[in-house]
Amino acid sequence: MYRFHRFAGTMSIALVTLPALAHDGELHHIEAFFADANIVSGPSIVDCTLSGGTETTCFSITVKPDPKAYTPGPWCPTSITDTAESGGIWFLDGEIEDVDGAFITRLSEIYGDTNWQLFDPDTGAVRYTGTLEACEAAARPDVDPAYQNYCVQCLPEYVPEEASLTYVIPLHPQMTDAPSPTNRAGSGLAYNGVRLDGPAPVDAILGAYTIAPFDDCGGHVNTHVGYHYHAVTDCLQNAPATTTEVAETDKQIGIAMDGFPIMAHRDDLVDQLDACNGLMVEGAGYRYFAGAPGSNAILGCHVAEVGCTLENGTGVCDASAMARRGPPPAGAGAPPPPAD
């Protein structure tokens, strides 16, 4: 059951990076926050319609899903003798597990199913998707049978060089009566311009005897949104300093699609967080804290109406129309519908 009563009805909540200033002042804070992003255009102030139908003011920013501070990857090891440096990570029982060669050999033991066999027992070579065609065949919801028992990786070079995403996020959150899942527009946007996504469809991936690892930064690639995060690790530790007095232990790593700040994970707050991974902080207002890296939930849900993620970078944001169409289909490149 959602523990939503603790913040419902709090309509005027101060933000860390989006204080109640004139639009020029707000844009200054947003520009500073996304200084490390690979920006194509923006940020700019636009009119928008949020998921609950509220017509309000948002900021729009178009970014390439390419972090400047590091090169994404690796994901799949190529041999069962490979060490952790040759592969990424996977979620297992709420923790992260290195996807090294030894992990590949243990899959049948880990999941209690002898059908797992991602490697050639004679040579020790790991079967992995090494082309765009293989990536697309293995990462779709109905995995091509030819790619069952494969380590699935889609490389950044498979995404067109000109590809970008436009995020339209409310300047001032509009609270809802009940939380909403993060599987339509994603959880939010990290300060480096990389999407903070909803849960990865782990059950669907495992159901096809595939593993689709994340790199050590918690990210992987699909050909629709490019590189994106399903976990927040210490790769986002260089977030810019905030200008509002906050606890020294807090570090903002992103802005949620509903406009609230997303802070780095804190183990000491886990028992205090609501179902959406959020908390009211005295003197600072409501904020989210990213889930533990192995939790497969950067956010548990959104507490306010969300804006839009636009793939073509054009058009007016009407998130209410998107909400009426329902969630996207589940698959390795799209998050699943929420559990009941």
Side-chain angles (χ1 to χ4, degrees):
M1 181 179 295
Y2 289 119
R3 289 182 287 143
F4 192 63
H5 61 280
R6 293 163 56 184
F7 42 77
T10 51
M11 294 295 292
S12 56
I13 297 177
L15 296 176
V16 173
T17 57
L18 303 181
L21 304 173
H23 287 338
D24 287 347
E26 290 173 316
L27 278 180
H28 172 74
H29 284 281
I30 297 165
E31 288 170 352
F33 186 72
F34 290 111
D36 288 338
N38 198 335
I39 297 176
V40 176
S41 63
S44 59
I45 301 297
V46 297
D47 294 329
C48 56
T49 303
L50 304 181
S51 56
T54 299
E55 296 180 1
T56 185
T57 304
C58 292
F59 74 88
S60 174
I61 186 169
T62 301
V63 293
K64 289 181 177 292
D66 304 317
K68 293 180 180 179
Y70 67 92
T71 300
W75 290 279
C76 293
T78 61
S79 168
I80 60 172
T81 61
D82 282 348
T83 61
E85 287 72 24
S86 298
I89 59 175
W90 187 242
F91 303 146
L92 184 63
D93 298 329
E95 304 291 338
I96 55 174
E97 184 91 5
D98 286 325
V99 181
D100 54 12
F103 177 82
I104 296 296
T105 68
R106 294 191 298 112
L107 286 170
S108 59
E109 174 189 346
I110 290 170
Y111 293 112
D113 188 339
T114 57
N115 288 317
W116 283 96
Q117 186 66 46
L118 267 67
F119 66 97
D120 186 322
D122 295 325
T123 66
V126 175
R127 286 188 285 272
Y128 63 93
T129 55
T131 66
L132 170 60
E133 292 74 22
C135 151
E136 291 179 331
R140 70 192 193 194
D142 55 334
V143 175
D144 187 322
Y147 291 99
Q148 290 195 2
N149 265 309
Y150 263 71
C151 186
V152 181
Q153 62 179 14
C154 296
L155 302 181
E157 51 262 40
Y158 299 163
V159 181
E161 186 176 350
E162 68 277 8
S164 63
L165 289 172
T166 298
Y167 296 85
V168 183
I169 298 175
L171 287 173
H172 305 289
Q174 305 294 318
M175 298 298 291
T176 55
D177 293 331
S180 62
T182 60
N183 61 332
R184 166 55 67 179
S187 294
L189 185 62
Y191 69 87
N192 62 357
V194 175
R195 176 187 177 106
L196 298 163
D197 219 334
V202 170
D203 289 345
I205 296 169
L206 296 175
Y209 296 102
T210 57
I211 291 288
F214 317 100
D215 63 13
D216 287 348
C217 293
H220 64 185
V221 176
N222 69 44
T223 55
H224 300 290
V225 301
Y227 182 69
H228 58 283
Y229 296 123
H230 286 288
V232 172
T233 70
D234 57 8
C235 292
L236 291 178
Q237 63 184 348
N238 294 321
T242 58
T243 57
T244 302
E245 183 179 351
V246 296
E248 292 181 0
T249 51
D250 287 352
K251 179 174 291 187
Q252 184 173 350
I253 54 92
I255 299 178
M257 290 303 299
D258 61 6
F260 283 116
I262 302 175
M263 319 304 289
H265 177 72
R266 280 180 54 183
D267 283 332
D268 61 316
L269 288 182
V270 170
D271 292 339
Q272 302 177 46
L273 300 179
D274 57 49
C276 295
N277 288 1
L279 178 70
M280 284 291 296
V281 176
E282 185 176 357
Y286 186 80
R287 59 183 58 180
Y288 297 107
F289 289 84
S295 66
N296 193 22
I298 296 175
L299 302 187
C301 42
H302 285 121
V303 303
E305 297 181 47
V306 302
C308 301
T309 302
L310 307 175
E311 291 190 26
N312 58 15
T314 60
V316 176
C317 170
D318 184 356
S320 65
M322 298 179 186
R324 288 192 296 271
R325 287 198 292 269
D340 293 334

